[in-house]
Amino acid sequence: MSHAHRPWGYQPPEEGHSPDWKLHPQTEAIRAGTERSGFGETSEAMYLTSGFTYDNAEQAEHAFIDEVDHYVYSRFANPTVAMFEKRLAAIEGAEFCVATASGMAAMFASVASIASAGDRVVASASMFSSCHVVLTEILPRWGITVELVKGNDEKTWAAALTQPTKAVFIETPSNPLLEIVDIKMVSDLAHKAGAIVIVDNVMASPVLQKPLELGADVVMYSATKHIDGQGRVLGGAVLGNFEYIYEHFLPFFRHTGPAISPFNAWVLLKSLETMEMRVQRMNSNAQEIAEYLDSHENINWVRYPGIGSHPQFKIARSQMSGGGTTISFEIKGDQKRTFEIMNKLHVIDISNNLGDSKSLITHPASTTHRRLSPEVRAEMGITESVLRLSVGLEHPSDLLRDIDQAFTS
Ligand SMILES: *Cc1c(COP(=O)(O)O)cnc(C)c1O
């Protein structure tokens, strides 16, 4: 990569300090990206600054023509944000990462930065409702055609991808019903149609699924979920290769302003250090609860990618290293009965967030997916008796007991 293309603030790796072997992602999660100031602080510094100063006018001029590594403005880049970006890129195994103010800022910019009027985007139909609004209401206003495809149907994907396509957007597992899309199958078809494949990897987290290794080109996150994992800040990230990030994403990002606050980036940077352990524990708690619910007499069905009753269990097992931290299930009974059960929980909180250390339950039809029309909700399988449980870090015995007493009391 030519020096002139390096964005503001990216420093070359320090020679002499990096080991000459490839570090494990868990080691990267603790060490990657750290840039110490002259004080030699152990923990990464928080650079709460919007702007930067220059030694002289020439240095400022050079910084703007991208010839020297000097930060110019925190809308473009910031040292604390850069530490978070480098660390997440190292964990993901991506060439570059750009942090954003929220997951939706990441999602919107990931598509809007490459699609123009007249372009076609194909997406899996089951997805987070704000992503659905962006794809079906906002982008079409600017002349972008969006086609939604049933995520698990290879024939439909093949048919949709016979025409030239700019981008393919997939969410797997999907929120809230945890449908699985075969990332490799879709990536192969998409590439033949000339499309860039963007994966919303929020539900799996960087710990349990590596879309780039499966053939995807771009990964996006809501860092609000497992990356923070403690319910504190909003954030997002887009990861990809040089061509995508430099030629498409950054020119859009720098001038439209979805930059993250350095404070939020610092919180997320420190969260990455414990993410692997948190997600693994949440994943094993979720597995235990999903197995319990799978045979529960008060439940019609359970969707959890880590149990054999999941319709795409085989694909889930081949592309994820765990079933994830979220479970969806349908209560036997109507909405009133479903609300009754939610209201009886003592440990699990009613909240629409997910990926948190606290276990959270939500009724998607009346909250997170309320914005969708009843027809779209029905198509996605989100009935009035469906609940989504995000399993946290509490001891699983208390979570099982809480669920059990809510059904029986
Ligand atoms: C939460 C979420 C988003 C949006 O992230 P925000 O940080 O809330 O903007 C996008 N996709 C999925 C799958 C999500 O769960």
Side-chain angles (χ1 to χ4, degrees), residues 102-104 128 131 171 175 200 202-203 220 222 224-225 234-235 354:
S102 68
M104 285 319 302
F128 185 65
C131 300
E171 179 177 309
N175 180 358
D200 181 336
V202 170
M203 300 300 281
M220 60 128 291
S222 162
T224 321
K225 312 293 168 56
L234 292 176
L354 62 89

Side-chain angles (χ1 to χ4, degrees), residues 45 101 118 121 153 171 185 198 203 242 267 272 276 363 371 373:
V121 173
D153 183 349
E171 179 177 309
M185 177 271 285
I198 304 167
M203 300 300 281
F242 177 80
V267 172
L272 286 177
E276 208 263 346
H363 180 254
R371 176 75 178 69
S373 68

Side-chain angles (χ1 to χ4, degrees), residues 233-292:
V233 299
L234 292 176
V238 176
L239 299 105
N241 66 12
F242 177 80
E243 190 193 341
Y244 174 80
I245 294 290
Y246 284 82
E247 287 172 20
H248 302 288
F249 191 82
L250 282 175
F252 179 90
F253 169 88
R254 284 171 175 163
H255 304 293
T256 53
I260 191 171
S261 147
F263 176 82
N264 288 9
W266 182 84
V267 172
L268 297 169
L269 169 69
K270 300 308 286 177
S271 299
L272 286 177
E273 296 181 0
T274 55
M275 175 177 66
E276 208 263 346
M277 283 153 283
R278 288 185 283 106
V279 171
Q280 293 294 3
R281 175 65 69 86
M282 288 155 75
N283 179 75
S284 67
N285 283 355
Q287 180 76 33
E288 198 173 327
I289 293 170
E291 283 167 14
Y292 165 80

Side-chain angles (χ1 to χ4, degrees), residues 92-123:
E92 190 72 40
E95 276 183 57
F96 296 99
C97 170
V98 181
T100 58
S102 68
M104 285 319 302
M107 184 274 165
F108 176 67
S110 74
V111 182
S113 60
I114 49 168
S116 310
D119 283 342
R120 189 162 175 277
V121 173
V122 177

